[in-house]
Amino acid sequence: MTITTAGTLTDTGAGILDRSRTIAKPGFNRWLVPPAALCIHLCIGMAYGFSVFWIPLSHAIGITENKACSKEMPLLAELFTTTCDWRGTSLVLMYTLFFVLLGSSAAIWGGWVERSGPRKTGVVAAFCWGGGLVIAALGVYLHQLWLMWLGGGVIGGIGLGLGYISPVSTLVRWFPDRRGMATGMAIMGFGGGAMIGMPLANILMNYFKTPTSVGVWETLITLGVIYFIFMMIGAFAYRVSPAGWQPDDWVPPPSTLKMKISAHHVHLKDAHKTPQFWLIWLVLCLNVTAGIGVLGMASPLLQEIFAGDLIGLPGVKFAALTAGQKTEIATIAAGFGALLSLFNIVGRFFWASLSDHIGRKPTYYIFFILGIALYALAPTFASTFQSKILFVLGFGVILSMYGGGFATIPAYLADMFGTLFVGAIHGRLLTAWSVAGIFGPMVVSAIRDFPALVDSVRALQATVGLPTDSSYYSTMYILCLMLVAGLICNAFIRPVAHSRNMSPEDVAAIQAERASSEAAIKHGSFGIGKGGLDLPAFLFWAFVGIPLAWSVYMTGLSAMKLFWHWHPRKLQNGKKGARISRPLLLFVRVFLRTFFRAIGVARTTIASAENGGAWREHCPSSPNCGPRHAERRCHDRQRFFK
């Protein structure tokens, strides 16, 4: 590429990371793009699971015991000390760095992401996230807290932001007929990264543990290399759709009261000047702040309320338990946390897909109205009914809507502002996540530390007959007010004023600049159909699906301890083993059978849906029945749906 041609998108002389090298060719299958996004999101999602390192790091110097830095030691001195173990509060600040840098980097470099394309962005994210973990490992090895913050928190946080937004606009353009489902498939990976990373990190730390090391720095290096490889695979698998591409026979749905979808585009420089942007910003911020509050109190609330019931000692309060019993309960509570992560994942896909049918605004109405009800009923489930099932399901649905809020937002923005700059606009909107990440825990702590407010809420609870036996309950009721505010903000969202929309000439000019020629602006499929689950797509989905399925299986085993207990017994060979109760065995059996049947029928189910026909078309009873292998797949589907 010469100086005179710089800035034009042509294949001649374009680097391998250039956007023009990622434009899909005729015959490409669009179903290869979501697993590419999952490769990146499943890796950066480990940010949610960094708590797995806090306890080992609190023993990095003492190894077998905690030699914590004194409370009088200032933070600046703790950043450079090598003689004592870091305090828990200093370690938890990594979370703040993660999500502040995520939102900030997404906002700052969102425009660059749109210009450079998802491949270059994914590669930079891989270097930042994988390299940041290696630098953090060096900080652990040298016992320098500032270096761990710099590597994992700052550099890794930048990788989080770039990796998070890299597939958004690409997926929205590939699936104009299923915007919510497409973004939900990718963004659910961010919620599922911890489900894979946490048990994997535990396995690695136990493997690398020695009498002189807790195994953390070795684990961070290993994870950094693994994540770098996975993210690079995802980055190079990205393809962008040609300008003007749309599926054959697809017509944009008309804008109705239920589905307010704009046929126009709003420029990046104008989006934040509209009231719609800030209303959606508040909707996301309030939903996330309330969700973070629930995340922080779900596990301790479970332990405090159910206490001995969790280990077969009904009626025994938490204060009466021994240290060993409290440790056992904490292990069960960790399984509860993993189960909430599973709800978080499922919610990202379920709610985003549902929004394709009912609209984004009604979906957020459900989030807030159902959320208000569940937040208010959670204390009743725990104290009045003493029902673990209702308590767990209530919090599970809350966390599903927390994740669904993230997954639905990109499609909400595309409906409001068009798809041309949706990735960059989404990046700026993620500053709401940064604000919620900082102020969410602060607000919850302030509520609990403000006795006058808590006493007033408790008095009101007693007046109306609500439970008052836990300080967590007052916080839950106060969080309901945040959801009420979010509900009001969502009600005020209206279509963007026509004066903010770009002219067709401006849209064509930008698309021509990106596509290198005016001819590419014509709408059509350009030889790229709706695709389906062919062999390459199936293998790619299996590549990301198998680790995710393993994590779901491990989560299921861990979470079932909430309801059934493991009973040690002597085996015939004299070694101790474990006998799982019949309900747990039945659950595992049904789960595995359902999962593998779902894999077996997914290919034909998706292909049938893409062709616009029902799955019954391939059944033997149909006069147009296909060949024998199609009949066999049909019978598999019949057995599955029964």
Side-chain angles (χ1 to χ4, degrees):
M1 178 179 291
T2 64
I3 295 178
T4 57
T5 59
T8 61
L9 298 175
T10 59
D11 289 339
T12 304
I16 192 172
L17 301 181
D18 197 276
R19 184 187 181 93
S20 64
R21 297 287 293 269
T22 64
I23 298 176
K25 302 295 190 295
F28 178 75
N29 186 352
R30 65 176 180 169
W31 287 94
L32 290 170
V33 181
L38 280 170
C39 280
I40 291 181
H41 274 229
L42 286 173
C43 294
I44 62 176
M46 180 53 186
Y48 272 133
F50 249 66
S51 58
V52 74
F53 297 118
W54 298 160
I55 292 179
L57 284 175
S58 66
H59 296 75
I61 296 295
I63 306 298
T64 58
E65 61 181 358
N66 176 243
K67 295 184 178 180
C69 300
S70 66
K71 295 182 179 180
E72 291 75 21
M73 178 181 287
L75 179 60
L76 183 61
E78 189 180 7
L79 291 174
F80 300 95
T81 185
T82 59
T83 59
C84 58
D85 288 317
W86 298 318
R87 292 173 296 213
T89 53
S90 302
L91 293 171
V92 173
L93 282 175
M94 280 281 286
Y95 275 132
T96 302
L97 288 173
F98 277 150
F99 297 115
V100 169
L101 268 296
L102 186 154
S104 302
S105 60
I108 293 171
W109 289 295
W112 175 81
V113 170
E114 288 295 311
R115 294 190 300 272
S116 301
R119 177 181 291 179
K120 184 180 292 185
T121 306
V123 169
V124 174
F127 275 100
C128 288
W129 182 239
L133 291 182
V134 173
I135 295 174
L138 180 62
V140 174
Y141 179 75
L142 299 176
H143 202 70
Q144 292 292 296
L145 182 59
W146 70 269
L147 191 57
M148 191 179 76
W149 280 8
L150 174 65
V154 178
I155 299 176
I158 293 173
L160 288 178
L162 296 178
Y164 190 87
I165 65 174
S166 64
V168 171
S169 61
T170 300
L171 284 166
V172 167
R173 293 183 187 120
W174 271 121
F175 293 87
D177 50 337
R178 301 180 181 185
R179 288 177 178 176
M181 183 204 70
T183 55
M185 280 190 295
I187 293 178
M188 75 174 184
F190 192 79
M195 286 181 54
I196 299 175
M198 291 180 73
L200 179 59
N202 268 321
I203 293 172
L204 291 173
M205 283 190 291
N206 289 327
Y207 177 78
F208 289 120
K209 188 185 301 181
T210 66
T212 59
S213 172
V214 293
V216 173
W217 71 266
E218 300 94 334
T219 298
L220 287 173
I221 290 178
T222 305
L223 289 177
V225 173
I226 293 173
Y227 288 157
F228 177 79
I229 294 173
F230 264 75
M231 293 176 73
M232 291 294 283
I233 291 173
F236 278 90
Y238 277 141
R239 293 294 185 275
V240 298
S241 59
W245 181 87
Q246 65 183 34
D248 286 326
D249 303 324
W250 177 75
V251 178
S255 179
T256 65
L257 291 176
K258 182 181 74 171
M259 301 283 284
K260 292 185 169 109
I261 300 177
S262 174
H264 304 283
H265 302 276
V266 178
H267 199 282
L268 174 62
K269 62 183 176 63
D270 294 325
H272 68 280
K273 300 176 183 177
T274 65
Q276 287 80 3
F277 177 87
W278 294 108
L279 285 170
I280 296 177
W281 191 96
L282 286 171
V283 162
L284 179 63
C285 185
L286 291 167
N287 187 51
V288 172
T289 301
I292 288 175
V294 168
L295 279 170
M297 71 177 67
S299 179
L301 183 58
L302 176 81
Q303 298 177 60
E304 178 183 309
I305 298 302
F306 294 102
D309 290 342
L310 297 173
I311 54 175
L313 300 173
V316 179
K317 299 297 184 182
F318 185 79
L321 297 173
T322 65
Q325 291 170 334
K326 290 180 179 179
T327 301
E328 187 178 354
I329 286 178
T331 302
I332 295 174
F336 177 52
L339 184 62
L340 293 181
S341 296
L342 180 58
F343 275 99
N344 189 356
I345 296 173
V346 174
R348 290 171 186 247
F349 180 74
F350 171 78
W351 292 111
S353 299
L354 180 66
S355 74
D356 285 333
H357 301 283
I358 67 173
R360 326 301 169 196
K361 190 173 182 177
T363 301
Y364 265 92
Y365 276 136
I366 295 175
F367 290 163
F368 289 121
I369 295 173
L370 183 57
I372 291 169
L374 290 175
Y375 277 59
L377 287 172
T380 303
F381 293 156
S383 288
T384 305
F385 295 150
Q386 282 286 310
S387 172
K388 286 184 287 186
I389 293 179
L390 288 177
F391 181 85
V392 170
L393 286 179
F395 272 89
V397 175
I398 288 173
L399 263 294
S400 77
M401 295 187 294
Y402 169 79
F406 284 116
T408 309
I409 276 292
Y412 207 160
L413 293 173
D415 292 349
M416 283 288 156
F417 302 105
T419 62
L420 200 60
F421 293 98
V422 66
I425 296 172
H426 182 232
R428 292 186 176 181
L429 194 83
L430 288 181
T431 53
W433 193 356
S434 298
V435 172
I438 296 174
F439 291 104
M442 292 175 58
V443 169
V444 173
S445 298
I447 290 172
R448 292 173 57 80
D449 296 336
F450 192 54
L453 177 61
V454 173
D455 291 342
S456 300
V457 175
R458 281 187 172 179
L460 181 61
Q461 292 170 224
T463 302
V464 298
L466 294 173
T468 61
D469 51 336
S470 175
S471 59
Y472 289 108
Y473 294 166
S474 302
T475 306
M476 292 291 292
Y477 295 131
I478 293 173
L479 288 177
C480 286
L481 298 178
M482 293 187 181
L483 298 182
V484 172
L487 179 66
I488 295 172
C489 290
N490 191 56
F492 277 101
I493 296 175
R494 298 289 187 271
V496 177
H498 185 71
S499 60
R500 293 291 185 184
N501 294 329
M502 298 174 63
S503 67
E505 293 76 15
D506 291 338
V507 174
I510 292 177
Q511 289 179 331
E513 182 183 353
R514 292 180 178 178
S516 76
S517 68
E518 289 285 349
I521 305 302
K522 297 178 180 179
H523 290 277
S525 64
F526 309 119
I528 305 172
K530 292 184 177 181
L533 207 62
D534 56 15
L535 182 59
F538 176 80
L539 293 176
F540 202 1
W541 276 99
F543 179 71
V544 298
I546 290 175
L548 192 57
W550 172 76
S551 68
V552 171
Y553 172 73
M554 297 296 292
T555 298
L557 291 181
S558 178
M560 291 310 294
K561 295 179 184 179
L562 284 166
F563 308 106
W564 292 283
H565 309 299
W566 299 73
H567 305 284
R569 67 170 185 175
K570 291 283 185 179
L571 299 181
Q572 292 181 354
N573 58 7
K575 296 181 180 180
K576 274 195 174 183
R579 175 172 58 85
I580 309 176
S581 60
R582 287 178 61 86
L584 181 56
L585 286 172
L586 180 61
F587 168 82
V588 174
R589 180 182 177 186
V590 171
F591 170 80
L592 291 176
R593 183 173 60 185
T594 303
F595 173 73
F596 287 112
R597 281 187 177 180
I599 290 179
V601 304
R603 179 177 179 181
T604 48
T605 303
I606 291 178
S608 177
E610 291 286 2
N611 292 329
W615 62 271
R616 295 182 182 275
E617 291 179 358
H618 299 287
C619 290
S621 59
S622 171
N624 299 320
C625 180
R628 180 174 300 176
H629 69 279
E631 296 180 16
R632 185 167 60 251
R633 289 198 301 271
C634 173
H635 288 304
D636 289 339
R637 280 195 299 275
Q638 286 179 319
R639 289 197 301 270
F640 172 72
F641 286 109
K642 288 179 180 177

